[in-house]
Amino acid sequence: IETDPELDRQIQEYHKTANVTGGDHSTPWCSSFANWCLTQAGYSDIATHDPAAFSWNAGEWKNGEEVDKPFYGAIAVMEYSHVGFIYGKNSRGNIIILGGNQGLCRTGKSNCISIRGNPLSKIRYIMKPKGYVIPDKDFELQDFDINNPAPTYEDTH
């Protein structure tokens, strides 16, 4: 969880990819985590380098474009100002999001890196890098037995 010293130090590294100086777990870090992931995968040149979740929106993310259907690995921007990666779906039809700064971790209100179900209706934008051709198989989301409560603004900030 984010208050563990090891993850707190790592969150500071996430923030560096989003141009946040002096940030730690007390600064919202979902966008910083997404930026770090793209940087680690060799795509630093297309990341937003912005700490705001809505920096990944259509019209804001200059290197991204919106798609109309969820696919494995897509960047999902939730209507409550949170961002993560589409990982799969669950039996309720919710989209499973892999993200940082997501609540319902081991203890209390601390957040962590986790996967959580999210109703498709709460996803405002489904994004991909411009020019990325989505393989057909990536639209076939894997089913996971994850039926925890959907995230909210309160447990992602």
Side-chain angles (χ1 to χ4, degrees):
I1 61 175
E2 64 186 7
T3 54
D4 290 344
E6 185 175 336
L7 182 53
D8 194 39
R9 281 190 299 279
Q10 187 61 44
I11 291 167
Q12 293 172 35
E13 293 301 312
Y14 302 156
H15 282 316
K16 287 178 185 176
T17 66
N19 297 314
V20 176
T21 54
D24 62 7
H25 73 274
S26 62
T27 303
W29 53 278
C30 63
S31 180
S32 295
F33 176 72
N35 276 289
W36 182 84
C37 288
L38 263 63
T39 299
Q40 293 300 303
Y43 297 103
S44 177
D45 57 329
I46 66 166
T48 68
H49 302 289
D50 190 308
F54 286 141
S55 69
W56 298 93
N57 281 353
E60 294 290 324
W61 182 22
K62 67 179 180 152
N63 294 308
E65 56 192 5
E66 188 173 5
V67 296
D68 60 0
K69 190 173 161 187
F71 68 93
Y72 178 79
I75 294 173
V77 183
M78 273 51 83
E79 66 181 19
Y80 51 87
S81 185
H82 183 61
V83 64
F85 298 95
I86 294 178
Y87 188 74
K89 61 184 171 119
N90 68 15
S91 62
R92 294 181 188 164
N94 290 338
I95 302 300
I96 303 296
I97 303 294
L98 165 68
N101 203 32
Q102 296 188 144
L104 294 179
C105 294
R106 295 195 306 256
T107 61
K109 295 189 176 230
S110 291
N111 293 345
C112 61
I113 298 167
S114 64
I115 53 176
R116 294 199 43 203
N118 205 316
L120 185 57
S121 63
K122 299 289 184 188
I123 299 175
R124 187 182 229 174
Y125 299 97
I126 299 170
M127 303 292 294
K128 70 175 188 77
K130 279 184 183 173
Y132 177 72
V133 178
I134 307 162
D136 288 340
K137 67 177 178 50
D138 286 354
F139 288 107
E140 299 167 16
L141 296 176
Q142 185 175 347
D143 289 315
F144 290 93
D145 187 21
I146 298 171
N147 289 303
N148 51 6
T152 64
Y153 176 87
E154 290 74 24
D155 68 13
T156 58
H157 290 78

